[in-house]
Amino acid sequence: MQRTDPLDTGAGSLLRQPKAVWATAGASVVAFMGIGLVDPILPSIARGLSATPGQVSLLFTSYFLITAFAMLVTGWVSSRIGGRRTLLLGLALVVVFAGLSGTSDSVAELVGFRAGWGLGNALFVSTALAVIVGAAAGGSAAAILLYESALGLGMACGPLLGALLGDASWRYPFFGTAALMAVGFLCITAFLKEQPRPARRTSLLDPLKALGHGGLASVAASAFFYNYTFFTVLAFTPFVLDMTPYRSGAVFFAWGVLLAVFSVVVAPRLQRRFGSLKVLGGSLLLLAADVLVLGYGDHGTAVVCTILSGAFIGVNNTVYTELALGVSDAPRPVASAGYNFVRWFAAAAAPFFAPRIEEWTDAHVPFVVAAVTAVVGAAVVAVRRGALVHEAEELEPRHAAEDGVAVFAD
């Protein structure tokens, strides 16, 4: 069976969606914006709160550490109170903690508020995909493409919003996010009806049990090392570039655009031509080379390599998630939760260790470490190929209904 082009889903079916889908997708854009929102203003936050880069990097660490643990409870919560209430609970938490973040008088307060923000974001994002698929018209392909588009738009616009509002004050991006998420809360309240609950309730241990599958454990382990590289670029590079919020925001906006295009458009086409595992291994090695040049190049080279890394990250996100959602026989929400539980720990670790490695050595070494972790991720794929190759070969017929579009299931 031939996999169709992801763009063959059709603009008509993609755009003719119920208001509930647009409300959820719009809120998803803002939720993903929150990941990169602080990138352009990290140096401004450090100056405003008299903090070191290592202290400010904890904004990412607390956010993603809570997100990782929250992956174990999101399915448990949504299977008991329903998708709509879970979305609203997550949005409410983001509104509260994003607003409180803007009032912080110390790094410790800001880090704590970001942790609460991470819990709300995990509850919302992990449920949004299921809600969009359940409410969308035009089949799962149109729904997943819409979700992927929301991801790409959010990752691209987050740094841009952070730059535009953060140029006046580092506090304004947090207030702006709270306001946008409040609008999302009202839209979902008005337009989204309660979704059917799962026939079986998810237990807290189900995601951990799913990791007992060798294939899923292999994907998660490889993604763990890859995510260390990913978030070294996202959280540490702004300090190395040392640019104004506007310029840093422009760099990461271009980075996000490449991430979106390569995730939704380029990656599925490369998979059809070369196969998932070859694409993943090659993209990880190219990312390692790019990060190494970023660390040792001059300022202009560092800017170019930062933007270029978005292309490799976009490809990796798509392939990893396809493999994670299909390699085991666990229900997709459960497999996704187990996979994300593992990989988000690396997203918490990289922002913590990168500035400290710089303090212990110099500014080049954190990127050397990031390059090594990308290579380790590729090595895991190569060594565990036997556990993954069957899924990579069978992905075509098993996921033909999805028209080749993978889900970045956060």
Side-chain angles (χ1 to χ4, degrees):
M1 182 183 298
Q2 175 148 2
R3 291 173 73 180
T4 59
D5 192 294
L7 298 182
D8 289 342
T9 303
S13 62
L14 180 63
L15 297 178
R16 290 194 298 267
Q17 299 294 341
K19 292 179 180 179
V21 173
W22 287 116
T24 307
S28 297
V29 172
V30 182
F32 288 121
M33 285 170 61
I35 296 178
L37 178 80
V38 299
D39 258 27
I41 58 173
L42 286 175
S44 300
I45 293 173
R47 288 190 295 269
L49 296 178
S50 302
T52 65
Q55 290 173 322
V56 174
S57 69
L58 292 176
L59 296 179
F60 283 99
T61 298
S62 63
Y63 182 91
F64 288 117
L65 190 62
I66 296 300
T67 298
F69 281 108
M71 286 299 156
L72 298 180
V73 304
T74 52
W76 184 89
V77 172
S78 63
S79 67
R80 284 161 175 78
I81 68 174
R84 181 176 181 271
R85 291 180 180 177
T86 303
L87 289 180
L88 292 175
L89 175 60
L91 286 170
L93 289 172
V94 172
V95 170
V96 170
F97 285 105
L100 288 174
S101 295
T103 68
S104 301
D105 292 322
S106 68
V107 172
E109 285 185 7
L110 186 52
V111 168
F113 293 144
R114 277 283 284 183
W117 185 346
L119 173 60
N121 209 56
L123 287 169
F124 174 82
V125 173
S126 63
T127 310
L129 173 63
V131 170
I132 290 175
V133 171
S140 61
I144 293 171
L145 181 56
L146 189 63
Y147 184 85
E148 284 285 340
S149 301
L151 162 69
L153 186 61
M155 292 292 284
C157 292
L160 195 61
L161 178 67
L164 293 175
L165 297 179
D167 189 61
S169 170
W170 65 264
R171 299 179 186 274
Y172 291 169
F174 297 111
F175 294 141
T177 300
L180 289 172
M181 289 302 255
V183 173
F185 183 96
L186 294 176
C187 289
I188 288 178
T189 300
F191 299 123
L192 180 64
K193 297 179 180 179
E194 185 56 82
Q195 304 297 297
R197 299 185 189 183
R200 175 183 173 273
R201 290 184 175 184
T202 301
S203 79
L204 294 175
L205 294 179
D206 282 349
L208 296 178
K209 292 177 180 178
L211 289 170
H213 185 280
L216 183 61
S218 300
V219 175
S222 179
F224 174 88
F225 291 105
Y226 154 66
N227 269 263
Y228 186 95
T229 309
F230 178 178
F231 284 94
T232 296
V233 173
L234 190 63
F236 182 66
T237 301
F239 291 107
V240 175
L241 297 180
D242 195 22
M243 304 167 76
T244 65
Y246 275 126
R247 292 184 176 181
S248 182
V251 168
F252 279 95
F253 173 73
W255 170 86
V257 169
L258 279 185
L259 186 153
V261 171
F262 275 74
S263 177
V264 176
V265 180
V266 177
R269 294 176 178 175
L270 290 175
Q271 287 175 272
R272 286 195 303 275
R273 181 166 183 178
F274 300 106
S276 295
L277 299 187
K278 288 182 180 179
V279 169
L280 182 58
S283 182
L284 286 168
L285 294 177
L286 289 173
L287 177 61
D290 178 80
V291 169
L292 200 58
V293 175
L294 191 165
Y296 281 92
D298 58 22
H299 190 269
T301 301
V303 169
V304 171
C305 288
T306 299
I307 296 172
L308 183 60
S309 69
F312 306 125
I313 289 170
V315 170
N316 293 337
N317 286 348
T318 292
V319 180
Y320 269 121
T321 309
E322 271 201 3
L323 290 173
L325 296 186
V327 74
S328 77
D329 54 2
R332 286 188 172 186
V334 173
S336 175
Y339 161 74
N340 283 292
F341 171 72
V342 173
R343 73 188 185 97
W344 284 126
F345 276 109
F352 178 82
F353 285 112
R356 284 158 181 77
I357 292 172
E358 180 193 22
E359 293 173 3
W360 301 331
T361 54
D362 57 47
H364 305 302
V365 177
F367 294 101
V368 174
V369 174
V372 169
T373 55
V375 172
V376 172
V380 172
V381 172
V383 171
R384 295 292 296 166
R385 183 180 180 85
L388 300 174
V389 67
H390 177 71
E391 169 57 26
E393 291 172 346
E394 294 297 320
L395 206 54
E396 174 183 21
R398 288 177 61 183
H399 299 300
E402 294 176 6
D403 285 345
V405 182
V407 182
F408 188 66
D410 285 317

